[in-house]
Amino acid sequence: MVGSPRLGHSKWVSLGRCKVFLAIIFTVLIFHLLFVRVGQTPKHLQAYTVQDVLSYNDVRIPPGFNTTAPSVKAAFVSVTRNQDLHELRGAIRQMEDRFNHRYHYPYVFLSDEPFTDEFKETIGWMTPSKVSFGLIPRNHWEVPAFIDRNKMREGMSYLTSKSVIHSDSLSYRQVTRYYAGFFHKHPLVEDYDFYWRLEHDAEYTCDIDYDPFLYMRERNIKYGFTITLHEFLDTVKTLWSTAQQFMTTYTHYTEDKNTMDWVSSDGGNSYNLCHFWSNFEIVDLSFLRSERYERLFRFLDEAGGIFYERWGDAPIRSLAVSMFLKKEDVHWFEDIGYLHSAFQNCPANSATQMKCHCDPDRSIHLNDFSCTRQWNQLSASK
């Protein structure tokens, strides 16, 4: 009986030591996850220079790759991350089954963080085409020095109060800015003439038995889309007035036979919020590399609306298309079945439907939230 308290005391001491030991292990584990797994440096301190990017770029060419040479210097490009791997596998699988197994166009994957070996090996299993993995340069990704961080946070808070999607997401703003003005300058993309944007969570719901790249090149088409939508007003409150300033300053850049009537229903007084949903786009990269597109992007970028509001690459690209291209320079790929989030393009043509697994009655162009009907009603000349 006298010894019982001593035994109890020893038991609690052992338990206490156990807790301390477990706490130490937990701390070491957290340190490993936060620091070691991203290459010994916290992610927010990583700074990839041009040399880092060039030395990291990983191009993998599978055996027997040259069995069929692509008709056009073109590639699928995806800005993605390691955690998107398994959704991305589905998108690639559908792209291969629906289209690319006949054409063998290459893929380019870009990220602000190094891809894991698992990511690269798994992607390599999904396609017999050439695949490339690249880092995004720091100066193309980070928040620019001219952005007022306090104003940015205030803008995010405002959009959050309005329940706007991606309202407080910095990474969303970074990726849309990158797509709007920088991806076509990456060393892994600069040798291509056309690009097809590939989203990790997109579905391709119809067989594509012709080459859209070749179709565009032969017809001198600069921009191809499947879906159009109206943007949320709160995310682009000053975009139109800023674009008007650009057009007033650089009058010589605007195409005489432009399609500005598609983005403004009142003769240019206001923006009607129509835009091409750019998560699907096939683009002649000479358009994005042109002096006028570069000048417009820099003008809009320096205005800060990408971070202060939430200007996306979709309305920015749409304004550029409307200012600089004629209607015949743009093509609606009505026959390409495409599904992303809740919106889809599904062809109604009965012959095409035999090669699809989508419901044409649910195609977004039938909905008033789409602007495709207005696009089709535009005159090809003024």
Side-chain angles (χ1 to χ4, degrees):
M1 294 295 295
V2 176
S4 296
R6 292 178 177 271
L7 289 172
H9 177 72
S10 298
K11 176 181 177 182
W12 288 113
V13 168
S14 298
L15 285 173
R17 288 174 177 170
C18 236
K19 289 178 180 178
V20 171
F21 181 68
L22 289 173
I24 292 172
I25 291 177
F26 180 75
T27 302
V28 171
L29 179 61
I30 292 298
F31 180 86
H32 177 79
L33 290 173
L34 291 177
F35 294 88
V36 178
R37 287 187 62 186
V38 291
Q40 311 300 326
T41 307
K43 183 182 172 186
H44 69 280
L45 295 180
Q46 291 183 13
Y48 301 121
T49 64
V50 172
Q51 284 306 118
D52 292 330
V53 170
L54 292 175
S55 62
Y56 172 83
N57 290 342
D58 185 352
V59 179
R60 302 188 176 196
I61 301 177
F65 167 71
N66 291 321
T67 53
T68 304
S71 301
V72 182
K73 290 178 66 176
F76 303 104
V77 178
S78 180
V79 178
T80 188
R81 283 178 169 168
N82 291 306
Q83 58 263 38
D84 299 326
L85 172 60
H86 297 295
E87 284 185 314
L88 188 58
R89 288 171 63 192
I92 297 171
R93 181 72 277 148
Q94 289 193 17
M95 181 61 77
E96 289 294 310
D97 292 345
R98 292 298 198 179
F99 167 69
N100 202 41
H101 69 280
R102 291 185 291 272
Y103 297 95
H104 305 290
Y105 282 104
Y107 293 82
V108 177
F109 300 97
L110 304 175
S111 181
D112 64 313
E113 60 186 18
F115 289 112
T116 64
D117 289 339
E118 178 192 11
F119 185 98
K120 292 189 282 189
E121 290 169 5
T122 303
I123 293 300
W125 297 335
M126 303 305 300
T127 174
S129 298
K130 181 175 76 172
V131 291
S132 304
F133 305 92
L135 277 176
I136 296 172
R138 177 186 180 187
N139 63 319
H140 289 175
W141 188 260
E142 66 180 5
V143 180
F146 58 78
I147 293 298
D148 182 329
R149 301 302 183 101
N150 290 328
K151 185 176 178 180
M152 179 179 72
R153 285 190 285 269
E154 290 171 2
M156 289 179 172
S157 297
Y158 171 77
L159 291 180
T160 300
S161 72
K162 297 288 187 176
S163 301
V164 174
I165 188 171
H166 306 304
S167 58
D168 61 349
S169 173
L170 179 59
S171 62
Y172 180 86
R173 288 163 170 81
Q174 289 172 306
V175 73
T176 58
R177 178 175 181 257
Y178 186 68
Y179 268 125
F182 295 106
F183 83 92
H184 51 279
K185 302 175 182 178
H186 195 283
L188 292 176
V189 180
E190 61 185 6
D191 288 335
Y192 293 112
D193 297 331
F194 287 81
Y195 110 105
W196 184 331
R197 179 164 164 177
L198 182 69
E199 287 292 311
H200 64 274
D201 52 353
E203 291 187 36
Y204 291 85
T205 56
C206 301
D207 289 345
I208 306 168
D209 49 14
Y210 67 100
D211 186 344
F213 290 125
L214 187 60
Y215 181 91
M216 290 182 63
R217 190 182 69 181
E218 290 179 340
R219 292 160 179 79
N220 199 30
I221 295 169
K222 302 300 182 184
Y223 192 83
F225 71 95
T226 56
I227 290 173
T228 64
L229 297 173
H230 286 87
E231 185 57 284
F232 298 107
L233 176 60
D234 285 320
T235 68
V236 290
K237 280 190 171 181
T238 63
L239 176 58
W240 185 255
S241 60
T242 308
Q244 286 179 312
Q245 292 172 25
F246 174 85
M247 288 186 284
T248 300
T249 305
Y250 301 99
T251 55
H252 59 290
Y253 283 138
T254 304
E255 164 62 41
D256 291 337
K257 296 181 179 180
N258 61 69
T259 55
M260 292 298 290
D261 288 344
W262 183 63
V263 292
S264 179
S265 305
D266 56 10
N269 290 323
S270 64
Y271 180 27
N272 62 18
L273 307 179
C274 284
H275 66 278
F276 303 109
W277 214 29
S278 58
N279 50 71
F280 174 102
E281 61 179 7
I282 306 177
V283 186
D284 181 338
L285 290 173
S286 67
F287 171 57
L288 302 187
R289 293 167 180 149
S290 66
E291 178 184 334
R292 56 187 180 177
Y293 184 90
E294 175 67 17
R295 187 65 62 88
L296 173 63
F297 171 73
R298 279 188 286 158
F299 193 93
L300 297 178
D301 189 38
E302 290 169 5
I306 293 173
F307 294 96
Y308 300 147
E309 296 178 14
R310 203 213 61 188
W311 300 353
D313 56 284
I316 290 174
R317 188 90 81 234
S318 301
L319 289 181
V321 169
S322 298
M323 284 183 204
F324 304 144
L325 299 181
K326 303 184 292 293
K327 187 180 181 186
E328 54 264 36
D329 296 331
V330 184
H331 180 69
W332 175 30
F333 282 103
E334 182 181 5
D335 56 340
I336 293 183
Y338 177 75
L339 171 65
H340 183 70
S341 299
F343 304 116
Q344 67 174 312
N345 183 70
C346 184
N349 179 278
S350 57
T352 306
Q353 264 295 311
M354 295 174 63
K355 301 176 288 187
C356 299
H357 69 269
C358 60
D359 181 354
D361 291 336
R362 300 182 66 181
S363 189
I364 189 62
H365 77 278
L366 302 175
N367 192 297
D368 288 340
F369 195 55
S370 168
C371 298
T372 302
R373 186 182 300 110
Q374 294 92 313
W375 174 263
N376 291 336
Q377 290 170 351
L378 281 180
S379 172
S381 61
K382 290 190 173 184

